[in-house]
């Protein structure tokens, strides 16, 4: 439904009077589009954007995002365009070069011009909305991008955190193209990813499908938003800052949740180089050379430039050299189909339409959990899966000079793992393999090549399977409770192992007396987190000590084990008790006294302060099987652990004649520290207390703070 618009009172800067004619023309055009848009801010600060046309909704959505957090909008496009060094200096050159191996402005401009007219309108509106924000907010100066061009939208078309390009190792890239050594990027211990669960109507009390949307990302990575138009758009959910589509969310009839997948869609090919040619079978082919110039900010504020000659084979760009061969990286780079797919699925209202849109095969890294008002539920595998010769192990670098290793087109959707309307009445994914996505109705591992999954099972998968196979008669409330179920399967498996190691000690072993108290505390624990639990603190510190010592926490099919031997397990427990005593005055410390949520400012790299107020959070790292994930650690100058990633948006949707939904996000909607919505959701976030989503216009009655057009004076 398109809400009525009040007469526009858009105020433009006086500087426009003296602006060139082209700038005045742009401003007039933007102002005319703004007049077709209305933004309603609800009492949580969330923007409900209505436009006459889809393009108007795009204009208003990105304008609203810029109002909330322009710094993150710009940062995402500096990353996507390979221009971060223009803001951050020479140290960012290699990340920019990595991006520019694929992102070529000349090519993207050509692809923009060749795009379907409907898509060009959306990209035009995207650029117009951001430029109109800059025009009407002269005090909020960008770091680099002073004008957005429509083609730039093609640089960032898939809303997940950490794109495929970021798989390229920066240290190797710097050695190859710059003959310099830089520090390797450490792999984060806290697992990223997400949870998605869909419940079929036959398995619910109300006879309506249910969907859990629970991305695990760095905090403040996405905006909560509703986009509505007179052309049938009505989507609500999480939009990655600066993108003009709802990445994880729902419309009036269907919902979709994306979870990072272990499918192998990125491969390395080692090629033998002979001069400016490389061997492929019995023949050689020419290497493609392309110069790339990276601008960077110098220490004095001026701009410097570095130009690199980059090389490419038919497999992809050269990213490293190893063992006398050059390494080419093959991955999906389909900007136009990817953007089309990301947008069109937000308007899909049934499963057949959603699946037809997926025929573009422009989703390389995300599984989908789907539910709709007709009762369909589904697990869908990523659609960009190259067909490969099964004789080769593509998890390792393959011989790119052997034509047999070449990709052979893409796997048809019908040949991918999937679970559609399974008899179990549920589907789920926790970034684990698809072989348990629907219980005994899951796709069978032996029916598919091994490159369909590289992740295997994980503790969250064990936890979700436990909940879904032991319960029926689901309601929105029980699904919300499941999203915060406190059981920790990793510790339920590992602590009995530890207890057995302790029990095997000789009676005169000094470790028996030293560890008697900690062992007794863990033995009596029910393996459930809580803010008051002292066993949670000890168990987490024990597991952290194991991991710090190089041990791995491994998930078998139905259990979790550690690679640490008996002595290392006991030593880690002693180290955990000692650390707790040293840092917190004793080894019996409530978990909520350690594990905290704090939001002091909007820095993209967060800072924390033990002397400032913070909120206890009861849930723990996803590494231990907590469905509600909170990735926390101590920072420089702190003893307490502060979260910076994990649960970032949680929503539960019920698909009846009209959807009902509940949601919560980390911190608050606004990135402005002075806003009442900067931190107003922290208490709900920590308690798992989701608020009602205002999806219908009638829901906003009595819950509206502001109603305005882009560029209007705030009323």
């Amino acid at each position: 439904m398109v809400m009525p618009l009040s007469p526009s009172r858009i105020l433009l800067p006086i500087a426009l009077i003296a602006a060139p004619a082209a700038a005045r023309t742009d401003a007039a055009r933007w102002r005319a589009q703004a007049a077709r848009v209305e933004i309603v801010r609800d009492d949580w600060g969330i923007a409900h954007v209505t436009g006459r046309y889809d393009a108007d909704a795009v204009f208003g959505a990105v304008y609203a995002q810029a109002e909330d957090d322009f710094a993150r909008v710009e940062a995402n496009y500096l990353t996507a365009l390979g221009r971060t060094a223009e803001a951050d200096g020479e140290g960012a050159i290699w990340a920019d070069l990595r991006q520019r191996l694929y992102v070529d402005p000349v090519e993207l401009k050509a692809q923009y011009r060749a795009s379907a007219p409907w898509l060009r309108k959306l990209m035009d509106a995207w650029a117009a909305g951001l430029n109109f924000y800059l025009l009407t907010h002269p005090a909020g100066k960008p770091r680099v991008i002073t004008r957005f061009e429509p083609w730039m939208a093609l640089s960032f078309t898939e809303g997940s955190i950490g794109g495929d390009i970021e798989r390229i190792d920066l240290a190797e890239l710097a050695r190859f193209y710059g003959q310099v050594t830089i520090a390797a990027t450490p792999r984060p211990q806290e697992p990223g990813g997400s949870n998605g669960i869909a419940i079929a109507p036959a398995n619910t009390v109300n006879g309506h499908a249910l969907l859990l949307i629970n991305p695990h990302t760095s905090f403040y990575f996405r905006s909560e938003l509703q986009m509505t138009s007179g052309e049938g758009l009505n989507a609500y959910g999480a939009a990655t800052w600066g993108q003009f589509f709802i990445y994880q969310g729902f419309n009036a009839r269907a919902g979709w949740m994306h979870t990072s997948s272990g499918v192998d869609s990125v491969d390395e090919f080692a090629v033998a180089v002979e001069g400016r040619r490389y061997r492929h079978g019995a023949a050689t082919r020419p290497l493609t050379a392309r110069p790339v110039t990276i601008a960077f900010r110098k220490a004095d504020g001026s701009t410097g430039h570095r130009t690199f000659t980059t090389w490419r084979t038919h497999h992809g760009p050269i990213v490293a050299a190893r063992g006398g061969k050059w390494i080419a990286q093959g991955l999906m780079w389909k900007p136009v189909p990817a953007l089309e797919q990301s947008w069109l699925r937000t308007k899909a209202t049934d499963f057949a339409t959603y699946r037809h849109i997926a025929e573009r095969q422009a989703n390389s890294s995300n599984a989908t959990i789907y539910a709709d008002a007709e009762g369909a539920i589904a697990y869908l595998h990523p659609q960009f899966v190259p067909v490969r010769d099964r004789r080769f192990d593509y998890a390792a670098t393959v011989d790119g000079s052997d034509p047999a290793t070449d990709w052979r087109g893409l796997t048809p959707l019908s040949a991918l793992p999937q679970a559609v309307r399974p008899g179990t009445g549920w589907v789920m994914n926790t970034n684990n393999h698809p072989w348990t996505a629907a219980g005994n109705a899951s796709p069978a591992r032996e029916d598919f090549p091994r490159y369909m999954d590289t992740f295997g099972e994980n503790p969250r998968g064990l936890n979700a399977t436990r909940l879904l196979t032991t319960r029926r008669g689901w309601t929105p409330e029980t699904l919300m409770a499941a999203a915060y179920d406190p059981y920790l399967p990793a510790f339920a498996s590992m602590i009995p192992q530890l207890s057995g190691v302790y029990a095997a000690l000789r009676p005169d072993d000094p470790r028996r007396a030293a560890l008697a108290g900690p062992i007794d505390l863990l033995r009596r624990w029910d393996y459930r987190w809580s803010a008051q639990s002292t066993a949670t603190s000890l168990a987490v510190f024990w597991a952290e000590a194991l991991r710090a010592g190089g041990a791995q926490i491994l998930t078998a099919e139905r259990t979790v084990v550690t690679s640490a031997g008996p002595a290392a397990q006991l030593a880690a427990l002693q180290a955990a008790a000692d650390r707790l005593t040293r840092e917190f005055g004793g080894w019996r410390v409530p978990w909520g006294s350690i594990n905290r949520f704090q939001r002091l400012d909007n820095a993209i790299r967060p800072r924390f302060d033990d002397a400032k107020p913070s909120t206890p959070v009861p849930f723990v790292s996803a590494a231990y099987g907590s469905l509600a994930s909170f990735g926390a650690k101590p920072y420089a100058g702190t003893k307490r652990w502060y979260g910076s990633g994990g649960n970032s948006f949680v929503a539960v949707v019920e698909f009846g004649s009209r959807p009902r939904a509940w949601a919560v996000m980390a911190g608050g909607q606004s990135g402005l520290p002075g806003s009442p919505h900067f931190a107003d959701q922290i208490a709900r976030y920590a308690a798992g207390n989701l608020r009602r989503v205002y999806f219908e216009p009638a829901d906003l009655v009595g819950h509206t703070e502001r109603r305005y057009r882009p560029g209007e004076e705030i009323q």
Side-chain angles (χ1 to χ4, degrees):
M1 176 180 179
V2 179
M3 300 174 71
L5 301 179
S6 57
S8 178
R9 294 176 58 246
I10 299 171
L11 305 181
L12 300 182
I14 296 175
L16 272 182
I17 298 172
R24 292 198 298 272
T25 299
D26 285 342
R29 177 167 50 85
W30 300 336
R31 181 176 181 175
Q33 188 157 23
R36 300 194 297 268
V37 177
E38 184 178 60
I39 300 173
V40 174
R41 295 280 184 173
D42 68 25
D43 48 18
W44 296 100
I46 294 160
H48 302 257
V49 179
T50 301
R52 185 178 303 171
Y53 306 109
D54 285 354
D56 300 331
V58 165
F59 179 103
V62 296
Y63 180 94
Q65 288 183 57
E67 286 185 300
D68 287 334
D69 205 329
F70 178 77
R72 280 183 164 76
V73 171
E74 185 185 23
N76 279 347
Y77 282 91
L78 292 178
T79 297
L81 292 164
R83 297 183 62 182
T84 300
E86 294 178 50
D88 292 348
E90 201 165 1
I93 281 177
W94 304 110
D96 283 352
L97 178 62
R98 176 174 64 183
Q99 199 73 14
R100 294 284 299 280
L101 293 176
Y102 291 91
V103 178
D104 181 351
V106 174
E107 291 180 1
L108 292 188
K109 289 175 184 178
Q111 291 186 41
Y112 160 77
R113 291 191 295 269
S115 297
W118 68 264
L119 186 61
R120 286 202 308 273
K121 287 181 181 179
L122 300 184
M123 290 188 277
D124 291 346
W126 170 83
L130 291 172
N131 290 328
F132 193 56
Y133 168 80
L134 292 176
L135 179 67
T136 55
H137 294 75
K141 295 190 179 300
R143 300 181 71 196
V144 172
I145 305 177
T146 57
R147 183 180 177 90
F148 289 82
E149 300 293 339
W151 62 268
M152 293 178 178
L154 291 171
S155 69
F156 189 27
T157 57
E158 206 280 332
S160 59
I161 188 167
D164 291 343
I165 294 173
E166 294 183 22
R167 305 262 195 103
I168 298 169
D169 184 86
L170 288 182
E172 288 193 314
L173 189 75
R175 280 197 300 272
F176 183 82
Y177 283 111
Q179 290 77 54
V180 299
T181 300
I182 64 172
T185 304
R187 294 179 64 85
Q189 281 197 316
E190 173 61 24
S194 305
N195 299 328
I197 295 174
I199 311 291
N203 203 5
T204 68
V205 169
N206 297 330
H208 302 144
L210 298 172
L211 177 66
L212 169 68
I213 299 171
N214 181 202
H216 297 166
T217 68
S218 57
F219 292 162
Y220 325 121
F221 185 68
R222 296 192 177 104
S223 164
E224 189 171 342
L225 182 70
Q226 183 172 19
M227 300 173 65
T228 306
S229 82
E231 294 185 308
L233 175 69
N234 189 7
Y236 189 106
T240 305
W241 291 113
Q243 292 185 321
F244 60 73
F245 51 85
I246 301 299
Y247 178 64
Q248 291 159 327
F250 62 98
N251 58 40
R253 301 289 297 171
W256 55 97
M257 169 61 203
H258 302 301
T259 55
S260 298
S261 167
V263 66
D264 178 5
S265 59
V266 178
D267 290 329
E268 289 187 340
F269 299 86
V271 294
V273 175
E274 303 170 8
R276 293 198 172 192
R277 302 181 70 84
Y278 67 99
R279 183 153 296 281
H280 190 250
T284 62
R285 296 183 176 187
L287 288 159
T288 300
R290 180 166 67 87
V292 172
T293 298
I294 305 295
F296 63 93
R297 182 182 56 79
K298 294 182 177 180
D300 63 3
S302 63
T303 300
H305 296 85
R306 287 193 64 180
T307 298
F308 303 89
T309 299
T310 65
W311 302 97
R312 175 181 293 270
T313 74
H314 72 287
H315 298 295
I318 301 298
V319 300
R322 295 184 213 129
K325 293 188 176 182
W326 286 10
I327 309 299
Q329 189 95 347
L331 53 78
M332 185 191 88
W333 183 242
K334 301 168 64 174
V336 171
L339 188 56
E340 288 180 337
Q341 188 168 333
S342 293
W343 171 263
L344 290 172
R345 66 188 174 214
T346 70
K347 299 183 74 172
T349 56
D350 57 56
F351 181 70
T353 303
Y354 193 95
R355 193 181 183 284
H356 177 69
I357 292 164
E359 293 284 356
R360 286 167 171 77
Q361 295 186 274
N363 167 20
S364 64
S365 61
N366 290 289
T368 301
I369 299 297
Y370 173 92
D372 67 29
E374 294 180 359
I377 64 169
Y379 164 87
L380 299 175
H381 214 51
Q383 301 93 45
F384 182 90
V385 185
V387 177
R388 305 161 171 101
D389 189 322
R390 298 193 190 192
R391 294 175 298 164
F392 302 101
D393 180 10
Y394 286 85
T397 302
V398 296
D399 181 6
S401 297
D402 182 351
T405 66
D406 284 4
W407 287 352
R408 302 175 181 179
L410 297 179
T411 306
L413 265 59
S414 59
L416 293 172
Q418 63 178 3
V420 180
R421 300 182 178 88
T424 53
W426 56 266
V427 293
M428 68 87 181
N429 188 256
T430 65
N431 318 116
N432 58 340
H433 57 206
W435 321 130
T436 52
N440 59 22
S442 302
R445 187 199 318 258
E446 58 270 20
D447 292 341
F448 299 92
R450 57 184 170 179
Y451 55 72
M452 287 295 176
D453 177 72
T454 63
F455 283 177
E457 187 57 278
N458 64 33
R460 280 180 291 127
L462 298 177
N463 207 357
T465 298
R466 176 186 66 89
L467 290 166
L468 291 163
T469 55
T470 58
R471 180 180 297 170
R472 295 193 65 83
W474 289 85
T475 66
E477 291 73 22
T478 58
L479 186 54
M480 284 183 248
Y484 290 88
D485 187 276
Y487 186 68
L488 297 172
F491 293 123
S493 295
M494 293 196 304
I495 285 176
Q497 299 164 23
L498 172 67
S499 180
V501 169
Y502 175 83
L505 290 174
R506 292 172 48 183
D508 60 346
D509 191 313
R511 292 174 293 181
R512 179 173 287 278
L515 295 175
I519 285 288
D520 183 63
L521 178 65
L522 294 178
R523 278 176 173 168
R524 294 173 181 272
W525 186 35
D526 62 0
Y527 312 122
R528 285 169 165 78
W529 50 250
S530 75
Q532 296 76 37
S533 170
T534 57
T536 301
S537 303
L538 182 60
V540 170
F541 272 58
W542 171 62
E544 290 294 304
L546 286 173
R547 296 166 80 185
Q552 293 180 299
I553 295 173
L554 306 169
T555 307
E557 289 301 310
R558 292 184 174 85
T559 190
V560 181
V561 298
T562 174
S563 62
Q569 291 186 46
L570 294 172
L573 182 59
Q574 185 64 66
D578 291 346
R579 182 181 176 189
L580 281 164
T581 300
R582 183 174 63 252
E583 296 180 3
F584 297 96
W587 53 266
R588 291 179 179 268
V589 184
W591 179 235
S593 297
I594 299 169
N595 200 51
R596 314 289 287 191
F597 190 109
Q598 187 178 72
R599 192 179 193 188
L600 298 177
D601 55 34
N602 198 36
I604 292 176
R605 294 179 181 174
R607 65 180 187 87
F608 302 99
D609 188 341
D610 283 345
K612 301 288 179 63
S614 61
T615 300
V617 174
F619 37 100
V620 305
S621 167
Y624 310 123
S626 179
L627 291 175
S629 171
F630 192 71
K633 66 179 182 179
Y635 287 77
T638 77
K639 290 183 179 179
R640 283 176 158 175
W641 293 21
Y642 295 97
S644 61
N647 273 19
S648 53
F649 176 68
V650 186
V652 167
V653 189
E654 181 182 46
F655 291 98
S657 57
R658 294 181 177 181
R660 294 195 303 155
W662 299 259
V664 71
M665 63 193 310
Q669 171 69 16
S670 176
L672 304 175
S675 167
H677 304 300
F678 180 72
D680 59 339
Q681 296 189 51
I682 291 177
R684 283 182 172 270
Y685 174 89
N689 181 17
L690 278 60
R691 52 182 166 70
R692 185 69 183 268
V693 166
Y694 309 131
F695 184 76
E696 300 288 342
D699 298 337
L700 286 164
V701 176
H703 298 287
T704 296
E705 285 189 350
R706 296 171 53 200
R707 185 184 298 269
Y708 62 104
R709 299 172 187 270
E712 270 189 346
E713 181 182 19
I714 297 175
Q715 298 181 20

